[in-house]
Amino acid sequence: MVTCVALVIAAGRGTRFDASLPKQYWPLGGAPLIRRSLLPFLAHPGVTAVRPVIHPDDRVLFDKAARGLSVLEPVSGGATRQESVRLGLESLANMDPDLVLIHDAARPFLSADVITRVIEALGAGPAVVPALPVSDTLKRADGTLVAETVDRRELWRAQTPQGFRFRAILEAHRKLAGQELTDDAAVAERLGLSVTLVVGSEDNAKITTTDDLARAERHASMSRITRTGIGFDVHRFGPGDHVMLGGLRIAHDSGLIGHSDADVALHALTDALLGALGVGDIGEHFPPTDPRWRGEPSETFARHAGRLLTEGGGEISNVDIVIICERPKIAPHRAAIVRQISEILSVDAGCVSVKATTTEKLGFTGRGEGIAAQAIATVLMPPPALGTRRV
Ligand code: MG
């Protein structure tokens, strides 16, 4: 059995992006970029183990991004990419795998096909690079003026993962330590190893600029899964001078009875969100028998559901709520309730709809015994394997 370890290099500082977050941890369609870069190796039957190489300052970020993934303990990289790769290779010296695949974490859309092509070609040679032919006409420039047209027929764009026989590339990196070669194939070439080209993939592009990130975001969002949940709730009228609806206090000649503040609209909404996530109902998360929740503002429950969604890499597409009662009249308060809910869920007001209806004096709501509410929530989730939290 051939052993093959993937080294995923994520130790760079990527100053071209927002300085507050290194680009390999940038969220992409609800999952951190590095998580997307690790997964194809974890899922590939030809890869024995995955070793991340990270910046020592990023340990907390990394642990969060890779939550639940069975990767080897990450090792710290060095000041240059070449040094980071060397340190990653040294960390595998005891394990001594037959093959190593060296991949840039900034390429989040690697397919299993490319990994397979690289591994297969390593059966015939010591070093393999996935690459694509150059299709644009190339110009050499002198300032802003074209000096000449370059023959592109023999030019290829090198990608990663670049594959190597482990002993050979470890030896090459040891001999050439301290240089700043831009890829590992260049290290191998320098020592005279023959490097084989296999076909890469356009999707496997490197994310370097914010334009690349925007393009990647469009690509990632296509793979998101739409989920919906519904909620329903009723509370009975009792003594009081106001009701809470959608987090808004509305003066009324009676109140609603409940363990919490009896906000039917937020209870239905919370259940709809929990339903979309498939994580039970409001009674399980906030048992009415628990004295902690007595008189609790219901926005606590809705915020909790919103937080679970965000932690799972999800995003609210829209929520729609129907409040069912004869009185109080909801229409004058509708816009304020929408504002209140959009603030509670930290979403744009355009994602929130609130409607009201009576039941033509029929049934318990018609007789003015209580208020009912229905809600539906539509959310966008990353594919299950990409979610950093199991939902
Ligand atoms: Mg309730």
Side-chain angles (χ1 to χ4, degrees):
M1 175 72 186
V2 175
T3 52
C4 173
V5 176
L7 269 188
V8 176
I9 310 302
R13 268 285 151 267
T15 49
R16 274 171 285 195
F17 282 82
D18 175 353
S20 66
L21 190 65
K23 73 173 169 186
Q24 48 279 40
Y25 298 98
W26 208 271
L28 191 54
L33 212 146
I34 186 172
R35 188 176 182 85
R36 291 179 176 273
S37 307
L38 293 167
L39 280 166
F41 296 108
L42 291 168
H44 197 285
V47 176
T48 321
V50 181
R51 166 81 82 194
V53 181
I54 67 172
H55 192 284
D57 294 349
D58 295 345
R59 187 56 201 255
V60 172
L61 281 173
F62 175 81
D63 287 346
K64 192 160 171 249
R67 191 177 297 169
L69 302 184
S70 43
V71 293
L72 300 174
E73 181 71 10
V75 295
S76 293
T80 62
R81 184 189 179 283
Q82 190 182 330
E83 185 61 3
S84 294
V85 173
R86 190 186 65 77
L87 291 168
L89 292 169
E90 293 287 1
S91 81
L92 301 176
N94 282 339
M95 197 185 300
D96 196 22
D98 299 309
L99 308 176
V100 63
L101 306 179
I102 304 172
H103 186 59
D104 288 330
R107 297 181 188 270
F109 299 119
L110 173 63
S111 67
D113 292 358
V114 174
I115 298 175
T116 302
R117 283 197 285 274
V118 172
I119 292 176
E120 282 179 0
L122 282 171
V128 176
V129 171
L132 291 171
V134 174
S135 53
D136 294 327
T137 299
L138 292 181
K139 306 290 183 190
R140 192 185 312 280
D142 180 5
T144 54
L145 289 178
V146 171
E148 64 167 325
T149 297
V150 178
D151 184 356
R152 64 168 189 240
R153 278 172 302 180
E154 295 181 336
L155 296 180
W156 292 74
R157 295 180 284 143
Q159 299 187 329
T160 71
Q162 300 185 349
F164 304 92
R165 304 230 175 108
F166 176 70
R167 279 285 145 195
I169 193 69
L170 175 62
E171 207 52 38
H173 264 278
R174 280 176 176 168
K175 281 199 179 129
L176 296 175
Q179 307 205 15
E180 286 196 38
L181 299 171
T182 57
D183 73 354
D184 305 293
V187 174
E189 291 155 35
R190 204 51 90 77
L191 288 191
L193 292 177
S194 74
V195 180
T196 309
L197 291 177
V198 296
V199 177
S201 150
E202 287 293 351
D203 283 345
N204 186 31
K206 188 170 183 174
I207 295 182
T208 309
T209 65
T210 46
D211 271 0
D212 298 338
L213 189 70
R215 207 168 19 252
E217 185 64 45
R218 286 194 294 278
H219 184 103
S221 65
M222 287 191 304
S223 68
R224 288 222 265 184
I225 293 166
T226 302
R227 296 177 61 121
T228 56
I230 64 169
F232 177 74
D233 195 36
V234 172
H235 281 268
R236 177 191 293 275
F237 280 123
D241 61 359
H242 73 278
V243 295
M244 293 299 294
L245 285 174
L248 190 73
R249 183 188 170 102
I250 298 173
H252 193 51
D253 52 21
S254 51
L256 289 171
I257 302 171
H259 186 67
S260 65
D261 67 0
D263 188 328
V264 284
L266 287 188
H267 292 185
L269 174 63
T270 302
D271 258 355
L273 289 168
L274 294 174
L277 288 166
V279 291
D281 63 23
I282 190 170
E284 287 172 50
H285 289 256
F286 302 97
T289 49
D290 189 334
R292 258 187 308 170
W293 313 122
R294 187 187 305 281
E296 183 73 17
S298 295
E299 62 175 79
T300 301
F301 313 146
R303 280 187 203 280
H304 167 78
R307 195 162 51 243
L308 290 182
L309 175 69
T310 311
E311 286 173 5
E315 195 182 314
I316 289 174
S317 173
N318 73 298
V319 298
D320 188 19
I321 300 167
V322 186
I323 300 170
I324 305 159
C325 61
E326 301 291 328
R327 293 178 59 246
K329 287 292 165 215
I330 303 301
H333 306 290
R334 219 178 54 81
I337 295 174
V338 166
R339 270 199 305 278
Q340 191 70 20
I341 290 174
S342 66
E343 190 274 322
I344 290 169
L345 297 178
S346 304
V347 296
D348 196 89
C351 300
V352 178
S353 157
V354 172
K355 314 196 296 295
T357 186
T358 70
T359 49
E360 299 286 332
K361 303 268 194 305
L362 297 170
F364 70 86
T365 52
R367 292 188 297 272
E369 294 167 3
I371 300 184
Q374 294 177 325
I376 187 162
T378 303
V379 303
L380 297 170
M381 300 298 295
L386 286 174
T388 50
R389 187 176 188 288
R390 261 164 51 82
V391 294

